[in-house]
Amino acid sequence: MLHSQKYVLPLVLLFLGVLFLGFLNISLGSVNIPFKDVFASIFNLEVSKETWRYIIVEYRLPKAITAIITGSGLAISGLLMQTLFRNPLAGPYVLGLSSGASLGVAIVIMGASIFGGVFAGVLLSKWSLVIASSLGSLLVLMAVILASIKLRDTMAILIIGLMFASLTAAVVSVLSYFSPAAQLQQYIFWSFGSLGDLSWNEVGILTIFWLVGLALAMSCIKNLDTLLLGEQYAKSLGVSIKRNRFVIIIATSLLAGSITAFAGPIAFVGLAVPHLIRQVIPVNNHQILVPAVILGGAALMLICDIAAQLPGQEYTLPINAITSLIGAPVVIWLLVRKRKFLF
């Protein structure tokens, strides 16, 4: 109990940090809005200009919530994969979910020119891309689940996921080669990732998937510590390897798949945040790690989004590039300083 209590302060500080970064994220943008009007817009009080309220409520607030969901969801997915495979280089997309989503979107975008006219317009709508991304992830998920039932070796599932990723990437490359420049450019823009294109309805749907994924992750939190010590040790303690593996794969798929469907493929966060948190909170107790990683992922994504939107400028940089540009040097520095993975 005393061992766990000393980590309460870092968790509280992380939570307060997420609140501060969330408010800062909402306050900054291409339009300069005073802090008092930002606060008034959030709590439905009187504001100086109604257009400011519209910008805050309809654009910046959904974007900040999406950043929190995306960062925390990818971070906890990365932690689950690293624990399941006992591999510090595993991430939320190691099962090939991102590649499956990319293939679905590539088929819709690059195949739309074949149909032409009104049908092509329907295919290229926002919801069509979301559905295509979800179906692509779902197909890969079903294949991975089938493999997890058939195979006893967890490492074999990792290899199968990587093979699916290579296979779908090859198909996307072939489609790209034969696609017109306009469709290819649209696909590239989707692959950059975006947090700012979601309506409140879409944020609501994403939140449902996020909550279900987190609930599944929490349901196996007690067994994650034993999985780190090896499958044989976990079996000796009465842990059902197949059941926990299945729950972890489903949780990761729901989180990573839904986030990719709505926000695009966002790299680095799921891989790096568990390592960053372990440097700050050097513990392998998942009852502490899981909430810390959730908060850390949300904080990192909010920081990256603040940097990406270039406060005061009209331009917004690709979030996928910013996550790696900001995060990778930090992780390299921390790991070199510590000289090891705390795993």
Side-chain angles (χ1 to χ4, degrees):
M1 180 65 75
L2 289 173
H3 179 70
S4 299
Q5 283 179 346
K6 73 175 183 178
Y7 296 112
V8 171
L9 181 59
L11 289 174
V12 171
L13 291 175
L14 274 172
F15 178 73
L16 294 175
V18 170
L19 290 180
F20 171 74
L21 289 167
F23 183 78
L24 193 64
N25 184 280
I26 295 166
S27 303
L28 300 175
S30 57
V31 179
N32 229 343
I33 302 176
F35 285 129
K36 64 181 182 67
D37 287 300
V38 173
F39 186 84
S41 299
I42 294 171
F43 293 99
N44 202 26
L45 303 173
E46 188 177 345
V47 294
S48 303
K49 293 181 181 179
E50 281 301 316
T51 51
W52 287 350
R53 187 196 302 276
Y54 181 84
I55 290 170
I56 295 295
V57 174
E58 297 299 327
Y59 180 73
R60 292 189 186 176
L61 196 54
K63 184 162 69 70
I65 293 171
T66 304
I68 291 170
I69 291 173
T70 301
S72 58
L74 290 177
I76 197 65
S77 298
L79 178 65
L80 291 175
M81 289 294 96
Q82 288 170 14
T83 302
L84 177 64
F85 296 116
R86 288 182 291 143
N87 187 334
L89 297 178
Y93 298 132
V94 76
L95 296 176
L97 297 172
S98 176
S99 301
S102 298
L103 178 60
V105 171
I107 290 171
V108 168
I109 292 177
M110 299 178 196
S113 57
I114 298 171
F115 300 99
V118 176
F119 193 57
V122 172
L123 278 177
L124 293 176
S125 67
K126 176 67 186 292
W127 277 107
S128 295
L129 297 183
V130 169
I131 292 167
S133 177
S134 302
L135 286 175
S137 295
L138 182 63
L139 287 173
V140 174
L141 168 63
M142 288 171 65
V144 171
I145 288 175
L146 187 63
S148 71
I149 294 170
K150 296 279 186 182
L151 299 171
R152 292 183 179 180
D153 186 10
T154 302
M155 201 55 63
I157 299 170
L158 174 61
I159 295 168
I160 287 172
L162 293 173
M163 291 305 101
F164 272 118
S166 298
L167 181 63
T168 52
V171 176
V172 170
S173 296
V174 172
L175 287 171
S176 302
Y177 182 78
F178 290 105
S179 294
Q183 271 82 24
L184 188 57
Q185 186 181 44
Q186 186 177 356
Y187 174 76
I188 290 170
F189 278 131
W190 175 83
S191 69
F192 286 159
S194 175
L195 301 174
D197 294 336
L198 272 66
S199 66
W200 277 111
N201 287 336
E202 291 167 334
V203 171
I205 294 169
L206 180 58
T207 302
I208 292 170
F209 281 103
W210 178 69
L211 289 172
V212 174
L214 285 186
L216 287 172
M218 295 292 183
S219 70
C220 58
I221 195 170
K222 290 182 179 179
N223 295 326
L224 291 173
D225 292 342
T226 56
L227 288 174
L228 269 183
L229 299 171
E231 291 187 2
Q232 294 303 320
Y233 180 78
K235 283 179 182 176
S236 70
L237 294 178
V239 175
S240 173
I241 299 297
K242 279 197 171 183
R243 179 190 170 279
N244 280 278
R245 184 198 292 164
F246 181 78
V247 171
I248 289 170
I249 289 173
I250 292 292
T252 302
S253 302
L254 282 174
L255 291 167
S258 61
I259 288 166
T260 306
F262 284 98
I266 295 175
F268 177 80
V269 176
L271 171 65
V273 169
H275 294 305
L276 286 170
I277 292 299
R278 283 191 177 99
Q279 304 292 338
V280 178
I281 306 175
V283 66
N284 278 328
N285 183 349
H286 282 79
Q287 290 183 333
I288 297 164
L289 268 181
V290 167
V293 165
I294 289 170
L295 293 170
L300 180 63
M301 187 56 72
L302 286 168
I303 291 169
C304 290
D305 187 48
I306 291 168
Q309 65 191 354
L310 296 172
Q313 302 295 319
E314 296 179 7
Y315 305 103
T316 302
L317 297 174
I319 190 67
N320 211 350
I322 296 300
T323 51
S324 296
L325 282 173
I326 288 180
V330 174
V331 173
I332 291 169
W333 175 75
L334 282 170
L335 293 176
V336 168
R337 189 168 65 93
K338 293 281 185 177
R339 297 183 182 177
K340 63 176 181 177
F341 287 102
L342 283 172
F343 200 81

